Amino acid sequence: MSQGFTLWFTGLSGAGKTTLTEAIVPELRARGVKIEVLDGDEVRTNLSKGLGFSKEDRDTNIRRIGYVARLLSRNGVGVIAAAISPYREIRDEVRASVEAEGVKFVEVFVKASLDTLVARDVKGLYKKAIAGEIKQFTGVSDPYEEPLNPEVLVSSDNETVAQSAATIIAKLEALGLVIPLAARAGGA
Ligand code: ADP
């Protein structure tokens, strides 16, 4: 059985969590890794349907994602979680629960300035949030606590998707969680 892990993306809406997930999933599958994705938006339509954006509901949402990530990754699956996960304490709680299984937790901070995000406004949400039409919007009217020591930091302000994706894959290789393509081709 291959070694499972939890790759945990955190960052503001529109920073690039989903884009980077989509970029690295095929790369990881090509390296023979079994992958499951827990995407924040998708989780909120099923596993966490009915939860809102109060601190309590956000914490519950993240704990649920963490719970599923723990079950899968301890059974050899490479789990990618891509949710804003704004609170450091809850991210650290999830990290501890995954690490208690002897499974690596790799936190990826997808950083982008508010200026970039407002200009990008992929989902059209920042303009509404700034106009006060959406309450409790992370980064505008709700807190976001940056990771203090993420395993990986990528900056979508000034990196291409390919560059950020390569940084993440390189980290997984350096941690021994993913076998480099060249090594596989060399025949194991
Ligand atoms: P999130 O999932 O964090 O809400 P999305 O992935 O939906 O964010 O949107 C990120 C946007 O930023 C996309 O339009 C993507 O093309 C763009 N982008 C620019 N540079 C990068 C980068 N280095 N990494 C990820 N996304 C980037």
Side-chain angles (χ1 to χ4, degrees), residues 16-30:
K17 302 177 297 297
T18 300
T19 302
L20 289 171
T21 297
E22 287 168 357
I24 67 172
V25 163
E27 297 257 349
L28 295 175
R29 292 207 170 118

Side-chain angles (χ1 to χ4, degrees), residues 62-74:
I62 296 310
R63 286 191 175 110
R64 287 183 190 172
I65 297 173
Y67 175 78
V68 177
R70 176 172 67 87
L71 297 190
L72 290 170
S73 56
R74 76 180 181 190

Side-chain angles (χ1 to χ4, degrees), residues 11-22 39 41 82 84 110 117 120 122-123 154-165:
L12 295 173
S13 175
K17 302 177 297 297
T18 300
T19 302
L20 289 171
T21 297
E22 287 168 357
D39 186 84
D41 293 339
I84 297 172
V110 187
L117 295 170
R120 197 181 272 165
V122 205
K123 300 163 202 170
V154 292
S155 168
S156 74
D157 280 338
N158 49 28
E159 294 172 21
T160 64
V161 173
Q163 283 171 334
S164 301

